[in-house]
Amino acid sequence: MKRWIITPWVFVGSILLLVAVEPACAVDNLRVAYPSMNTSVFALVIAQKEGYFKEEGLNVELLSIRGEIAIRTTLAGEVDFFTNAGSALAAAVRGVPVKLVTVFQDKPGWDLIAVSDIKSVAQLRGKNIGIMSPEGSLAVVAREILRKNGLDPTKDVNLVVMGGDEVRFPALQTKTIQATLFNTAMRSIRSDQSFWTKLFCLK
């Protein structure tokens, strides 16, 4: 059998990608890396909490690791699977073989949100937009939204690499960044809707 790396979503939807690494015997203990807690990871969390993995003879450990780091740790054999297709696709361009296995969502679960005084994507010109990593799914989608709304992501805005939701949310609150992509179903986002506005919905 082969050992595989898994990763959910390519920019039209949440997916799992498999990347062959090296031959190995069947494993019972698996380490799965995910970049941040979002709807594309919920299936794994539910499967773990409801005991579905154990029913299949698997002991799965879920680890919060950014996409580009997850690729390196997976290729080093420290992680078995990862759930970030943007970083995986960037790696594929460099020759890492990838294969689509399943789709969690037919569309990404993010919305582009901004501080409340910005009412349109066009008003983001010259502003700071927070992303998780340079080539991850969040960055791919952010660039595509900007292009579709007439902005050049390389010239008209500043894409600021900041990490996960736990970093970007406070940065938006303090206006260190003026926009980012979030799943607006998140409890922390819903709890304080006074300072942000939704600019673009991907659903």
Side-chain angles (χ1 to χ4, degrees), residues 50-82:
E50 295 297 320
Y52 301 146
F53 288 135
K54 290 194 180 295
E55 288 177 9
E56 298 297 326
L58 300 173
N59 180 34
V60 177
E61 182 182 5
L62 300 178
L63 304 169
S64 178
I65 304 176
R66 281 171 52 178
E68 69 276 13
I69 298 173
I71 289 177
R72 293 198 293 269
T73 56
T74 305
L75 293 175
E78 298 173 12
V79 167
D80 301 290
F81 299 89
F82 65 96

Side-chain angles (χ1 to χ4, degrees), residues 40-171:
S40 67
V41 182
F42 289 167
L44 301 176
V45 175
I46 292 170
Q48 184 183 54
K49 291 193 173 184
E50 295 297 320
Y52 301 146
F53 288 135
K54 290 194 180 295
E55 288 177 9
E56 298 297 326
L58 300 173
N59 180 34
V60 177
E61 182 182 5
L62 300 178
L63 304 169
S64 178
I65 304 176
R66 281 171 52 178
E68 69 276 13
I69 298 173
I71 289 177
R72 293 198 293 269
T73 56
T74 305
L75 293 175
E78 298 173 12
V79 167
D80 301 290
F81 299 89
F82 65 96
T83 64
N84 185 297
S87 299
L89 292 173
V93 171
R94 302 192 300 271
V96 178
V98 254
K99 182 179 179 182
L100 172 65
V101 243
T102 191
V103 175
F104 283 154
Q105 300 169 253
D106 61 352
K107 293 181 181 178
W110 298 317
D111 298 322
L112 178 64
I113 69 171
V115 291
S116 56
D117 54 336
I118 294 177
K119 305 300 183 184
S120 70
V121 177
Q123 290 180 328
L124 290 176
R125 189 180 298 273
K127 306 298 184 183
N128 296 325
I129 301 175
I131 55 176
M132 187 180 301
S133 62
E135 298 299 332
S137 304
L138 208 71
V140 171
V141 173
R143 291 187 183 103
E144 188 65 16
I145 291 173
L146 292 168
R147 290 189 189 101
K148 285 184 178 296
N149 286 271
L151 294 179
D152 185 336
T154 64
K155 298 177 180 177
D156 296 332
V157 301
N158 303 312
L159 294 179
V160 183
V161 177
M162 303 193 73
D165 296 348
E166 72 284 354
V167 178
R168 288 179 289 108
F169 185 62

